[in-house]
Amino acid sequence: MAQLIIESDQVFTPDIVLAEVARKYVREGYDDSTVKKRLDFMHDVSAVVSIDREIAVTASKCYIEMVEKSKELKQPKPGLADAIVLAISRVKDAKVVTGDMHFRPFKETIWLG
């Protein structure tokens, strides 16, 4: 994944991903200072994208699409955060680099498996 980031013209991080990453590290027992350093790194290597009206509307459509696809594939229901990530990739004409199964069926995905 690091190579993809290095070779990209632009890298975007949805702001909600910062919260998800922080939650993961806190849950794993990292101290606040370490968590903040990791979030600072994400800020340094990417443009953090906030939810605006266009992304909100696109996310609502992405959510419905993801729920339908999850039902079809007999997967657990995705979260709204997943739909926000997909929406930002569509609005920014970008790719989602992930191993999250909810994204696998979508053309915006670079699958890490």
Side-chain angles (χ1 to χ4, degrees), residues 40-90:
D40 287 344
F41 174 76
M42 293 173 75
H43 269 274
D44 292 344
V45 300
S46 66
V48 176
V49 180
S50 297
I51 300 167
D52 60 17
R53 289 184 301 267
E54 181 181 13
I55 290 169
V57 170
T58 304
S60 66
K61 294 173 184 176
C62 288
Y63 182 75
I64 292 167
E65 187 179 347
M66 293 180 89
V67 167
E68 289 172 357
K69 188 59 77 173
S70 292
K71 284 180 187 176
E72 178 183 310
L73 297 173
K74 297 180 179 20
Q75 295 175 341
K77 194 172 172 180
L80 181 58
D82 290 339
I84 293 167
V85 170
L86 184 59
I88 289 172
S89 75
R90 289 181 177 177

Side-chain angles (χ1 to χ4, degrees), residues 21-54:
V21 168
R23 177 186 63 182
K24 176 187 184 300
Y25 286 127
V26 168
R27 188 176 57 227
E28 291 176 0
Y30 288 90
D31 62 86
D32 288 0
S33 175
T34 301
V35 174
K36 288 176 184 174
K37 285 179 187 173
R38 296 202 177 175
L39 297 178
D40 287 344
F41 174 76
M42 293 173 75
H43 269 274
D44 292 344
V45 300
S46 66
V48 176
V49 180
S50 297
I51 300 167
D52 60 17
R53 289 184 301 267
E54 181 181 13

Side-chain angles (χ1 to χ4, degrees), residues 95-110:
K95 296 289 185 185
V96 178
V97 180
T98 185
D100 183 328
M101 66 181 162
H102 291 114
F103 293 93
R104 193 169 188 176
F106 299 97
K107 66 180 173 67
E108 294 85 1
T109 301
I110 295 175

